[in-house]
Amino acid sequence: ASSEYYPEKLDCCGSTLTAANYESSFQLTGAKIQALQMRNYDALTTVCPFCQKMYDGKQEAIKRILKDEKQMLPVFYLTQLIGIALGLDHESLGLNFNATPVDDFLGGLN
C-alpha cells in the first residue's frame, strides 16, 4: 500500500460543522470523496475518529445531498489496515461494522 499525494489530502472532513450546518459539512466530505474517485483511488484511510464517522458512516447521506449516486468509496481506519497486514481476521478488526462496502477492496488484496 502507498499513500499518494493529492491536493485535497489534508482537507478537513467538516465534522465540526455538523451541528451548525450539516449540509456544508457533508459537502466538504463529499468533495474529498469525489476527488479520490476522480483519481481512481481504491480506498480512503483515516486516523481521526471524526473523519472515520464522516467518510465511512455518512456516504449515503452525502450521496443524497450531492445528488451523486456514484459516490461510494471504501473507508478504513488505519488500525484496520494494519490488522489486515498482520493477518488478523476481519471480524476482530470490526470490518463488519464499516458502513462502506469493503468486500470488493479486500477481495483484490493479495
Side-chain angles (χ1 to χ4, degrees):
S2 62
S3 177
E4 302 292 327
Y5 172 80
Y6 57 99
E8 302 83 7
K9 188 170 188 168
L10 298 179
D11 286 0
C12 178
C13 70
S15 68
T16 56
L17 294 174
T18 55
N21 188 333
Y22 74 92
E23 283 195 25
S24 293
S25 68
F26 288 178
Q27 287 173 348
L28 284 172
T29 304
K32 186 167 183 172
I33 293 170
Q34 286 174 332
L36 291 164
Q37 288 178 313
M38 183 180 72
R39 292 176 176 85
N40 296 316
Y41 279 58
D42 297 320
L44 173 65
T45 305
T46 64
V47 295
C48 167
F50 294 110
C51 288
Q52 183 68 19
K53 182 70 173 168
M54 292 296 287
Y55 291 118
D56 183 51
K58 302 297 183 187
Q59 281 193 49
E60 286 298 327
I62 292 165
K63 280 172 37 172
R64 287 190 301 275
I65 289 171
L66 296 182
K67 297 174 179 47
D68 182 1
E69 288 304 312
K70 295 180 290 188
Q71 176 120 7
M72 191 56 69
L73 186 72
V75 179
F76 297 91
Y77 207 69
L78 178 63
T79 52
Q80 290 177 313
L81 292 180
I82 293 170
I84 291 167
L86 293 172
L88 300 177
D89 69 280
H90 295 175
E91 190 173 327
S92 69
L93 296 172
L95 293 172
N96 53 314
F97 294 113
N98 286 41
T100 53
V102 298
D103 293 336
D104 286 346
F105 176 84
L106 295 172
L109 298 177
N110 295 328

